[in-house]
């Protein structure tokens, strides 16, 4: 039985009204993400969109650079840092929302080479290996780079190996130096080389956490995201079982 004209108009108006409400509810959140968290955050963003309808617009880079950009007015609404000091500093300086900060992951550092059998599981290659270059992230900008230099200093190798450093702006660039052969090995994030709970290819030494400061990675809701539903929803979603499952699968501590 066909609908009458008035009823058809009413149904059409209802559909349009529902669509308008849905559009109003769905929003975007602009997120600054530490480079080491690239792969898991891409998966989390997809799950977040499916669960909430919101879209996370992601930028990846060095935590130190993000700090400078946020201080200079960059419109980020959420920061997922590679450390816990930068979010705390932003909170103290009024750029982060008080009480919003929490640790979303604990990073793991590895010495890695794409060559199978090249890096031993004790890291002795650092003392005995014949290599010209060692990739690390800039320790002044990237917490993983700082952890790498702390590790070398603890091993008594910092000064000896410093001339061989190939320094990336962030951990993603350090990884690229090794992956492309510009350095035969380097300190990278475990998340960059782990797949299915194991090292995807090559060889690696998982650096004992006792050799460097903990890589606690904190998230903070920034001032620009304070009253933005998508930003608030993302902060909540990062604590969900769905997000934590992804984070753990990439080798992070929780």
């Amino acid at each position: 039985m066909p609908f009458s004209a008035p009823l058809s108009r009413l149904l059409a108006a209802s559909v349009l009204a529902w669509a308008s409400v849905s559009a109003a509810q769905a929003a975007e959140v602009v997120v600054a993400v530490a480079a080491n968290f690239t792969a898991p955050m891409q998966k989390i963003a997809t799950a977040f969109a499916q669960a909430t309808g919101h879209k996370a617009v992601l930028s990846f880079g060095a935590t130190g650079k993000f700090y400078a950009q946020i201080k200079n007015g960059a419109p980020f609404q959420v920061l997922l840092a590679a450390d816990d000091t930068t979010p705390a500093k932003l909170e103290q300086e009024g750029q982060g929302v008080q009480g919003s900060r929490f640790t979303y992951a604990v990073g793991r550092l590895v010495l890695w080479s794409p060559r199978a059998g090249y890096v031993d599981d004790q890291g002795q290659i650092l003392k005995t290996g014949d290599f010209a270059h060692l990739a690390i992230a800039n320790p002044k900008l990237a917490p993983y780079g700082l952890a790498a230099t702390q590790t070398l200093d603890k091993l008594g190798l910092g000064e000896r190996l410093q001339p061989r450093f190939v320094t990336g702006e962030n951990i993603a660039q350090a990884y690229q130096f090794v992956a492309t052969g510009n350095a035969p090995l380097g300190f990278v994030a475990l998340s960059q080389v782990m797949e299915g709970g194991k090292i995807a290819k090559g060889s690696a030494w998982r650096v004992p956490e006792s050799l460097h400061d903990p890589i606690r990675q904190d998230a903070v809701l920034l001032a620009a995201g304070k009253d933005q539903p998508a930003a608030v929803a993302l902060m909540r979603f990062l604590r969900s079982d769905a997000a934590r499952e992804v984070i753990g699968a990439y080798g992070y501590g929780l």
Side-chain angles (χ1 to χ4, degrees), residues 38-59:
T38 298
M41 190 57 201
Q42 288 171 334
K43 287 193 174 183
I44 289 170
T46 298
F48 173 65
Q50 292 171 345
T52 68
H54 298 311
K55 179 182 178 182
V57 179
L58 310 176
S59 293

Side-chain angles (χ1 to χ4, degrees), residues 158-182:
E159 288 188 17
R160 175 179 150 193
L161 294 181
Q162 188 172 10
R164 306 187 199 184
F165 287 177
V166 178
T167 305
E169 180 180 280
N170 53 50
I171 199 67
Q173 195 171 68
Y175 169 82
Q176 284 300 319
F177 286 151
V178 185
T180 57
N182 287 302

Side-chain angles (χ1 to χ4, degrees), residues 29 75-78 97 221-232:
V29 50
F76 295 118
Q77 297 169 334
V78 171
V97 176
L221 180 65
L222 299 171
K226 182 178 180 181
D227 299 315
Q228 301 302 317
V232 174

